Amino acid sequence: MLLQIFIGVILLLTILIGALYYQIFIHGKERKQILFDEEYEKKRAEKYPPPFPNGWYSLCSSDMVPVGKVIEVDALGQKFAVFRGQDGTVGVLDVYCPHLNANLSQGKVVGNNLECPFHAWQFNQKGKCSHIPYCEKEIPANAATRSWITKENWGLILVWHHALNEAPSWSTEGYLPEINSYKFHSKTSDILRIHLQDFAENGADYAHFEFVHGLMTIPFANWFVEVKHRLEIVFCEGVEKHMAYFTDYADLVWKKNKQPIPHAGGKAVVTYFGPGFLVFKFDTKIGKMLLVKTFTPLDPLKLRMDDYVYAPKGTFPLAIKYLLGEAGAQFKDDIAIWEKKSFTNRPLLVKGDGPIMKMRSWYSQFYSQSNAMTEIVKEEVNNISMN
Ligand code: FES
Ligand SMILES: [Fe+2]
């Protein structure tokens, strides 16, 4: 009984002090911005695999494009016009009109079409020109702009990208049913000067956790309690081969004798959905939380990272702040390293490094065969013995 009360007090202290700590020292502080030499960044990018792996990417959240609205979105080295017709469906087109290249995002939605601001040509959601006010009878067959395969899931407008224009090989449907019953908590956005593969490799790089993530512990309670992590990564096969699971089992142990504290600790499961999403499911004694992290590559070594946070209704807000603080603090440390690192196909790995080459092998499915750099990555994956 005394033990239970003691654990309860620890958990309460953890939430209160932890949330305060992260609020003041971590969230309050801007991530350290690095000044980049843009010429050198181009060279740095050459060392990396292709900047836009094949997959689904988030363009924006659904609520940013209500019925009748068009917005411009940067992604995948270009600009998109994203609009929602009166029927509620979304269209994603190249932003520049094929007529005389006006920016379609300055136009307006008419019915289910997008009308160009320059000469009022209208395009449907498939990109086909459906109306030219001064040439109604003779719309040329090639009067069309590129439309992108799009869908809405998880409260996001997603677009499919494939370097060889192949059709989607996997779907985002049927996952994360929690989103419908959980309450949306917050969204944050950041621009990172990294390749998105570095983010994926983070989970497989077990050795860095100890040296980079000193904060994977309980602030101020760590003089008598510590967190022991057990890491596990599973790469899926078959129809779900675009997915991988990384699980961090965090057990609480007494610092003095390393004995586990019963009924304490928790686990975080990170699911990789292709190159564009990581979904964190926290299931801890202080609460549950879902964090959908989206990566939208903008240019080589530049991506937009959006975090969408959900939690069951009634979750103690400070518990969310604590869990978010823990996750956010860890990534700040990682990002500082990724933004200055390079990439090699032949890393010098030793026992204890984690399944980094397995991760690369899994990740290589998102690069098209035709790319020379991809071939090198695949060749190296085959050559180097799996970790
Ligand atoms: S530039 Fe778009 S209609 Fe002319
Ligand atoms: Fe990390």
Side-chain angles (χ1 to χ4, degrees):
M1 181 63 188
L2 257 181
L3 185 66
Q4 299 284 348
I5 293 172
F6 186 64
I7 291 168
V9 170
I10 289 179
L11 288 176
L12 203 64
L13 271 178
T14 300
I15 296 171
L16 287 172
I17 302 174
L20 207 65
Y21 171 82
Y22 286 121
Q23 196 63 33
I24 295 170
F25 295 105
I26 307 292
H27 280 313
K29 264 200 204 159
E30 279 293 299
R31 190 166 60 74
K32 197 172 158 226
Q33 295 297 324
I34 296 170
L35 277 180
F36 291 95
D37 172 347
E38 297 303 336
E39 278 309 304
Y40 185 74
E41 284 302 289
K42 284 183 198 147
K43 283 193 204 147
R44 193 165 77 93
E46 285 167 14
K47 300 246 190 289
Y48 274 88
F52 312 135
N54 301 328
W56 289 102
Y57 293 103
S58 164
L59 288 181
C60 56
S61 56
S62 292
D63 60 6
M64 288 172 74
V65 191
V67 167
K69 185 165 177 181
V70 54
I71 65 167
E72 180 185 272
V73 176
D74 285 344
L76 302 161
Q78 68 160 84
K79 288 181 185 294
F80 297 90
V82 183
F83 69 104
R84 194 183 295 278
Q86 298 302 327
D87 65 356
T89 56
V90 165
V92 176
L93 308 179
D94 280 359
V95 91
Y96 297 114
C97 177
H99 179 217
L100 280 164
N101 295 88
N103 187 312
L104 290 171
S105 73
Q106 294 176 309
K108 62 178 183 214
V109 176
V110 178
N112 297 323
N113 296 333
L114 180 57
E115 183 178 288
C116 179
F118 210 178
H119 312 91
W121 290 24
Q122 288 182 10
F123 299 89
N124 66 22
Q125 286 154 338
K126 297 253 181 294
K128 181 111 190 57
C129 180
S130 53
H131 180 62
I132 301 177
Y134 51 91
C135 184
E136 192 58 69
K137 293 219 171 68
E138 288 179 55
I139 298 176
N142 64 350
T145 187
R146 179 165 181 192
S147 75
W148 291 71
I149 297 172
T150 183
K151 70 160 85 174
E152 291 187 271
N153 266 164
W154 313 349
L156 304 171
I157 295 175
L158 311 177
V159 77
W160 171 256
H161 162 76
H162 192 283
L164 304 178
N165 292 327
E166 288 175 11
S169 51
W170 53 278
S171 168
T172 53
E173 264 131 32
Y175 300 105
L176 309 185
E178 303 94 321
I179 280 189
N180 299 325
S181 59
Y182 280 19
K183 194 169 164 241
F184 173 70
H185 180 266
S186 59
K187 176 193 173 183
T188 52
S189 274
D190 203 352
I191 301 289
L192 313 181
R193 303 297 299 261
I194 68 170
H195 189 286
L196 61 179
Q197 186 171 320
D198 275 335
F199 220 113
E201 283 189 19
N202 178 68
D205 177 6
Y206 295 173
H208 89 287
F209 286 112
E210 184 183 345
F211 307 103
V212 177
H213 303 306
L215 279 170
M216 282 178 94
T217 179
I218 304 173
F220 306 120
N222 52 7
W223 56 273
F224 55 89
V225 165
E226 64 184 36
V227 186
K228 260 208 154 7
H229 295 277
R230 280 180 294 126
L231 309 169
E232 190 181 279
I233 194 158
V234 175
F235 301 99
C236 300
E237 291 174 0
V239 286
E240 293 203 325
K241 71 177 173 23
H242 59 281
M243 293 172 67
Y245 295 97
F246 168 79
T247 310
D248 177 7
Y249 297 94
D251 301 320
L252 287 190
V253 298
W254 297 112
K255 199 155 192 170
K256 209 166 169 204
N257 58 13
K258 308 289 181 219
Q259 287 302 308
I261 303 172
H263 313 299
K267 71 172 180 181
V269 180
V270 184
T271 310
Y272 295 72
F273 288 90
F277 307 90
L278 288 184
V279 177
F280 292 69
K281 288 187 185 185
F282 293 87
D283 186 357
T284 73
K285 292 287 177 285
I286 59 174
K288 288 186 180 186
M289 189 181 86
L290 188 69
L291 167 62
V292 180
K293 204 176 246 308
T294 71
F295 305 111
T296 307
L298 304 176
D299 281 313
L301 298 189
K302 190 173 185 187
L303 62 82
R304 194 186 75 233
M305 176 176 79
D306 296 331
D307 285 2
Y308 298 87
V309 180
Y310 298 83
K313 291 185 182 101
T315 304
F316 193 28
L318 279 180
I320 298 175
K321 277 204 187 317
Y322 172 64
L323 292 173
L324 267 182
E326 184 80 12
Q330 286 163 32
F331 285 121
K332 272 186 190 165
D333 298 333
D334 279 319
I335 290 163
I337 288 178
W338 297 333
E339 287 192 324
K340 294 296 276 182
K341 76 180 280 295
S342 182
F343 184 87
T344 176
N345 293 314
R346 297 177 175 83
L348 185 56
L349 299 175
V350 295
K351 196 163 184 276
D353 259 328
I356 291 171
M357 296 316 288
K358 275 188 185 158
M359 168 54 87
R360 288 194 180 182
S361 170
W362 174 78
Y363 205 90
S364 67
Q365 69 179 296
F366 306 119
Y367 297 119
S368 290
Q369 299 286 345
S370 65
N371 189 294
M373 174 68 84
T374 310
E375 291 307 309
I376 298 169
V377 173
K378 284 183 177 166
E379 180 197 316
E380 285 305 314
V381 166
N382 291 333
N383 286 348
I384 299 171
S385 60
M386 295 292 213
N387 245 306

